[in-house]
Amino acid sequence: MKHTITLIPGDGIGPEIIAATVRVIEATGVDIEWQTHILGAQAQEKYGTTLPESTIDSIKQNKVALKGPQMTPIGKGFTSVNVGLRKALDLYANVRPIKALPNVPCRYPSLDLVVIRENTEGLYVGLEHTVVPGVVESIKVITEKASTRIAKYAFEYAVANGRKKVTAVHKANIMKLSDGLFLECFYKIAKDFPEIEADDKIIDNCCMQLVMRPEQFDVLVLENLYGDIVSDLCAGLIGGLGLAPGANIGEQGAVFEAVHGSAPDIAGQGIANPTAILMSALLMLRHLGEHAAADRAEKAMLVVFADGKTLTKDLGGTAKTDDFANAIIDKLKAGEAAIA
Ligand code: NAI
């Protein structure tokens, strides 16, 4: 079956890691037509808007996109196109699997957990204003609808993926109303899933526990800002941002992207690690029902990691982005027997 997928190379290291990933995905033999689109600063220059309708329409039509990181200016300039895209398509669940890879020096080589972040509200609604000079308000919006929807998604994900426990992460001791509502919705939904253990942790304690005893966690469900921060923390536990994939899921479509950003400090040098975006693309293949191709590409990637000869600079190696992709493609071409 042929799949049509919207491809957004993104900024900074985006085009480099996306090109490497497309080559690996094509080497699996899955029939894909890529429709390339742009967002952010590139789109501002070409179309006069950072979120062009042509890009949104393409994702709505294809229902699936693979997206590179987009730069967001700090403290001024345009608002985040990542947040804008998630809002425009109502991509309410951000799923970030955290699993250590062979041969990657990290704190917890056997770590295997999933961060599920509510993607549409919280402090990311962009409602900020100056009350009087020197006083700024930033409004956090928590709704029963979105909190219930993300809790339900987290439990359904746990059931579908053989997970045992879902932990809600919050600060309901201080934000009694907003985080209190999030937690209340979580426990209401938990009653419908008696086979899955449900518990909760206050965000600060959760961060400490993640650093000291992360094996106690299985699936974490968090509102937007906590999910953003905790998923980077978790990426650090398994060896860094170059290794953490992600998926933004909604009723209208799914956008697959790495947890990391555009890494301007290493852009243009061909040294970025494409693992996170490649693993996001493997999540995408599974979402499309192409499980065999995803398994083969994953096995090939794991063999390259286990060999340890072609790792990128962030993992202590000397390989370039393309060397790493070529090594995986070689394993794929060598066939199932060579990578079993
Ligand atoms: P970043 O994730 O781009 O980089 C943080 C550090 O990790 C840097 O030292 C970078 O070199 C390294 N790193 C990140 N990805 C890597 C990879 N694949 N291989 C090797 N090293 C890697 O975070 P930063 O610097 O805070 O943000 C840069 C830009 O990215 C900002 O404009 C930010 O708004 C944007 N951003 C976009 C995201 C998205 O499109 N989903 C997510 C996070 C940030």
Side-chain angles (χ1 to χ4, degrees):
M1 182 190 167
K2 184 174 185 161
H3 305 282
T4 308
I5 295 172
T6 306
L7 187 70
I8 303 167
D11 301 318
I13 60 171
E16 303 162 40
I17 56 174
I18 284 275
T21 296
V22 165
R23 289 198 298 116
V24 174
I25 296 301
E26 289 186 341
T28 66
V30 176
D31 191 6
I32 295 176
E33 182 195 328
W34 303 98
Q35 289 181 351
T36 304
H37 284 270
I38 54 173
L39 287 170
Q42 296 170 36
Q44 180 73 48
E45 204 178 310
K46 186 164 179 194
Y47 301 117
T49 169
T50 55
L51 264 181
E53 264 177 38
S54 50
T55 304
I56 305 280
D57 288 347
S58 169
I59 302 174
K60 278 187 179 160
Q61 193 182 344
N62 297 330
K63 305 261 186 260
V64 177
L66 181 63
K67 173 185 163 294
Q70 294 290 152
M71 177 277 288
T72 308
I74 296 176
K76 57 182 166 50
F78 59 80
T79 55
S80 165
V81 286
N82 298 312
V83 174
L85 187 69
R86 292 166 196 166
K87 273 193 202 156
L89 295 162
D90 198 20
L91 302 168
Y92 67 91
N94 188 343
V95 182
R96 295 175 161 182
I98 301 288
K99 194 169 175 186
L101 290 162
N103 242 344
V104 173
C106 70
R107 283 176 186 275
Y108 296 105
S110 58
L111 192 62
D112 180 9
L113 58 81
V114 181
V115 175
I116 297 184
R117 164 186 174 191
E118 203 291 321
N119 231 357
T120 62
E121 55 178 34
L123 274 163
Y124 284 65
V125 289
L127 294 175
E128 282 194 323
H129 62 271
T130 301
V131 183
V132 291
V135 182
V136 169
E137 280 181 349
S138 185
I139 294 171
K140 166 161 155 169
V141 175
I142 297 292
T143 66
E144 185 180 355
K145 184 178 167 219
S147 304
T148 301
R149 182 165 71 163
I150 197 68
K152 188 160 177 277
Y153 184 90
F155 281 99
E156 284 173 352
Y157 180 94
V159 171
N161 292 278
R163 300 274 171 175
K164 305 271 177 284
K165 181 165 102 169
V166 181
T167 303
V169 184
H170 62 89
K171 190 78 184 174
N173 51 331
I174 304 297
M175 279 160 277
K176 293 177 193 298
L177 288 182
S178 55
D179 284 24
L181 177 60
F182 183 83
L183 196 56
E184 191 186 315
C185 296
F186 170 80
Y187 277 116
K188 255 190 209 161
I189 291 293
K191 286 195 188 125
D192 297 336
F193 296 86
E195 71 277 34
I196 304 290
E197 188 186 338
D199 70 356
D200 68 277
K201 285 261 181 305
I202 293 177
I203 178 77
D204 37 351
N205 177 31
C206 179
C207 289
M208 192 267 291
Q209 299 284 345
L210 273 166
V211 171
M212 295 193 69
R213 280 199 320 114
E215 65 284 354
Q216 68 186 286
F217 297 105
D218 194 353
V219 176
L220 299 173
V221 61
L222 314 91
E223 55 187 68
N224 215 336
L225 179 64
Y226 305 151
D228 194 6
I229 296 169
V230 166
S231 48
D232 271 34
L233 185 158
C234 289
L237 297 178
I238 56 154
L241 276 171
L243 305 171
N248 299 287
I249 311 278
E251 305 297 331
Q252 300 182 59
V255 175
F256 295 82
E257 64 177 340
V259 169
H260 64 72
S262 57
D265 53 339
I266 56 166
Q269 300 174 39
I271 58 168
N273 184 351
T275 304
I277 190 73
L278 173 58
M279 288 171 67
S280 307
L282 299 185
L283 293 175
M284 179 188 78
L285 285 185
R286 296 204 164 93
H287 178 83
L288 292 167
E290 298 284 359
H291 296 280
D295 288 349
R296 282 193 298 118
E298 187 174 5
K299 264 192 199 167
M301 184 190 77
L302 291 177
V303 172
V304 170
F305 270 101
D307 281 353
K309 294 185 209 121
T310 326
L311 301 181
T312 45
K313 196 175 168 195
D314 56 315
L315 302 179
T318 53
K320 296 261 190 179
T321 310
D322 281 339
D323 300 333
F324 178 75
N326 291 342
I328 298 175
I329 292 167
D330 286 348
K331 299 286 175 203
L332 266 169
K333 286 191 177 148
E336 198 70 42
I339 61 172

